[in-house]
Amino acid sequence: MTIPQLLSSLLSKALQAVLADALPEGVTPAVTPSNDLRFGDYQSNIAMVLAKRVGMNPRQLASDLLAHIQCSDFELELAGPGFINFRVNPSFYAARMDALRSDDRLGVALASDPKSIVIDFSAPNVAKPMHVGHIRSTIIGDSLSRLARFMGHTVISDNHIGDWGTQFGMILWGWKNILDEKALASNPIDELLRIYKEVNLRCKDELGMLDTCKAELVELQAGNEENLAIWKQCIEVTKRGLEHIYDQLNIKFDYWLGESAYNDALAPLVDDLIAKGIAKKSNGAICVFSDGYHKPQQDPLLVQKDGEWLPVPAIIRKADGGFLYATTDLATLDYRIDKFKADSIWYVVGIPQEKHFKQIFDVERMRGVEGDFRHVGFGSIMGKDHKPFKTRSGDTVSLQDVIDEAITRAEKVVEEKSPDMPAEEKVAVAQAVGIGAIKFAELSQNRMSDYVFDWDRMLSLSGDTAPYLQNSYVRVRSIFRKAEAAGIQADSAIVLNEAAEIHLARLISRYSEVVPSTLEDCRPNLLASYLYELARAFHSYYEACPVLRSEGVVRSSRLALCELTARVLKQGMGLFGIDMPERM
Ligand code: ARG
């Protein structure tokens, strides 16, 4: 049990004793870490929450509760209008630390109700650039997958690539007429993009070009063999290029079920929606309109204009018979429930698609399809000028370029810090530092806000960056190497005396609370800022509490705390897919 869970159950028992039959049903007292340690480690406002309902003065209720809690592990205190503050005794932390030493999970309990969760992330489009927006989806989605697996859920990661769409008309023509085979072999993603861009330009300038491309698309959709073969090859080379990127990022997908995988399901799906009376014809198109289930303010199928609520239907078949992004997403959702038995589906996609997902989930509700469906949205990445992040020439920045530059810059950091490191190790460390820097810069942000992409900051050895945390880890590990060389072991129980070591233990104990809540809210930044705080606490501890220069049980205890710190840092960063080198 985490400390808040423990305190919450103590409070529950006290509530029963104090209020007996007057206790409202289903009350779980919330216990949260205090913002200010002067008020103790944790606090609860349950007395204030309940006082009115049970007709008591909150301070009186709090004081009655305190009188019913007997526990030598915590000191309790009544504060302000009725807060209950808890101070955890150092001996309790010491015992926790000892327990964690033999616990692989460092105190993090498995989820009590494991679920099957499909996580839909990355999902770039074939022949279109995988740009920085996809960076966010890729990195956030991967870390949520790792976190959910660690918590004991069954995770199905699915890369729903955009492998079917109008861009293929232009690509087909380009492939047949202006393809550079060599470039395709060396960098397929860029070559397909080049073709797409060039044909796109030509369509604007040359009369009839657009129709020629459209005709190619129609042929593809009608099953023309040559076009199908080219299309397949486009997907294959794109996948190969993407796999290289994902390898560098150490990201794997269980499935790559792109949009095209659902082509055959679209027509029957639309027919079914019509037959059930959920969809109907409107101006030739097939649409789903609001069924009035929600209040207008919450209805994704309505929009307010000049004080009136107007319909914004989900279009699932165009008047020309073509299907849409929404149709594919409905079919995809069905598949995930049928085949993967998904309880929950998380879509890690930018905020601009919020409306789209709300509509999809609402249509599913009308069809009676149940599950916990979440749009895990995120903001944009900005350049230093606070405008959308672009290259100097104004192009969108490709993910491959970002990775390459991160590694090049990390090489310089490593070179400066450890010029004597063997060349091979330098390469590996630069890889971990460069990739780690991109990932941590992403994951330490509140995903809903925009953030500024700043190379210097993310690779800095100070501040909340991957290199800072990696460097902290390296420092802890070096203590170990020295201890080992001197034959010193951490072989006695942990004792906590100094404020700095108590604080370090307090934070290590909190890891078991932070990991579950990070996943619950899909907010990796909670874990990121925790890890940063832990690393900072370690540095203060190291200044205040000599480890190798102390003796006996104190030295052994301090060494054990170092070891726990190192393990939490490594495991926590591992949940972000960030490697921690032993030296740097
Ligand atoms: N390919 C889409 C894009 O780049 C993202 C797909 C997200 N997943 C989904 N099921 N719609 O915008």
Side-chain angles (χ1 to χ4, degrees), residues 120 123-125 134 160 162 259 325 329 336 347 349 353 356-357:
D120 177 322
N125 303 313
H134 291 112
H160 188 71
E259 293 179 13
Y325 186 50
D329 257 323
R336 289 169 175 171
Y347 298 83
V349 186
Q353 294 192 30
H356 164 77
F357 286 108

Side-chain angles (χ1 to χ4, degrees), residues 72-302:
S72 57
D73 294 327
F74 311 100
E75 274 160 40
L76 291 77
E77 171 189 274
L78 169 60
F83 283 110
I84 299 173
N85 293 338
F86 301 90
R87 201 176 303 277
V88 181
N89 288 334
S91 59
F92 185 76
Y93 278 135
R96 286 235 140 185
M97 294 303 105
D98 275 327
L100 294 187
R101 289 167 75 180
S102 56
D103 177 2
D104 282 345
R105 299 184 56 82
L106 290 158
V108 183
L110 289 166
S112 54
D113 54 344
K115 299 263 162 60
S116 287
I117 308 173
V118 171
I119 307 187
D120 177 322
F121 67 99
S122 197
N125 303 313
V126 174
K128 290 189 179 170
M130 174 147 166
H131 53 74
V132 285
H134 291 112
I135 293 189
R136 298 205 73 172
S137 173
T138 305
I139 296 175
I140 296 172
D142 177 58
S143 94
L144 293 178
S145 305
R146 289 172 192 266
L147 278 155
R149 284 206 172 102
F150 181 69
M151 290 304 297
H153 298 291
T154 301
V155 172
I156 299 111
S157 57
D158 185 11
N159 197 0
H160 188 71
I161 57 172
D163 59 0
W164 190 255
T166 48
Q167 77 264 36
F168 282 101
M170 292 183 202
I171 293 294
L172 282 163
W173 187 89
W175 184 286
K176 292 177 185 176
N177 295 285
I178 57 167
L179 183 69
D180 176 345
E181 301 267 358
K182 254 202 204 138
L184 185 78
S186 67
N187 192 341
I189 295 188
D190 283 0
E191 174 59 8
L192 287 182
L193 180 61
R194 184 193 67 83
I195 300 184
Y196 173 71
K197 280 190 180 159
E198 190 170 325
V199 182
N200 202 10
L201 276 183
R202 281 182 154 185
C203 282
K204 285 184 188 129
D205 295 348
E206 290 171 31
L207 212 65
M209 187 64 177
L210 193 60
D211 289 332
T212 311
C213 292
K214 274 191 187 154
E216 293 286 4
L217 183 67
V218 170
E219 283 295 309
L220 173 70
Q221 288 166 338
N224 171 304
E225 279 191 18
E226 186 192 1
N227 284 13
L228 268 179
I230 296 175
W231 168 72
K232 276 196 186 130
Q233 236 180 308
C234 282
I235 294 169
E236 233 154 75
V237 294
T238 301
K239 274 193 183 166
R240 231 178 292 144
L242 288 174
E243 257 153 18
H244 175 67
I245 293 179
Y246 296 134
D247 278 350
Q248 282 183 298
L249 293 172
N250 189 16
I251 289 176
K252 289 183 192 61
F253 291 92
D254 298 316
Y255 292 91
W256 288 64
L257 292 168
E259 293 179 13
S260 70
Y262 304 96
N263 283 351
D264 293 344
L266 304 181
L269 174 85
V270 171
D271 291 343
D272 181 57
L273 281 165
I274 297 172
K276 292 202 169 107
I278 295 170
K280 65 175 188 214
K281 210 171 212 158
S282 166
N283 291 326
I286 304 294
C287 304
V288 179
F289 288 90
S290 165
D291 63 352
Y293 176 86
H294 301 281
K295 286 194 196 120
Q297 289 83 348
Q298 268 107 48
D299 196 326
L301 298 166
L302 293 179

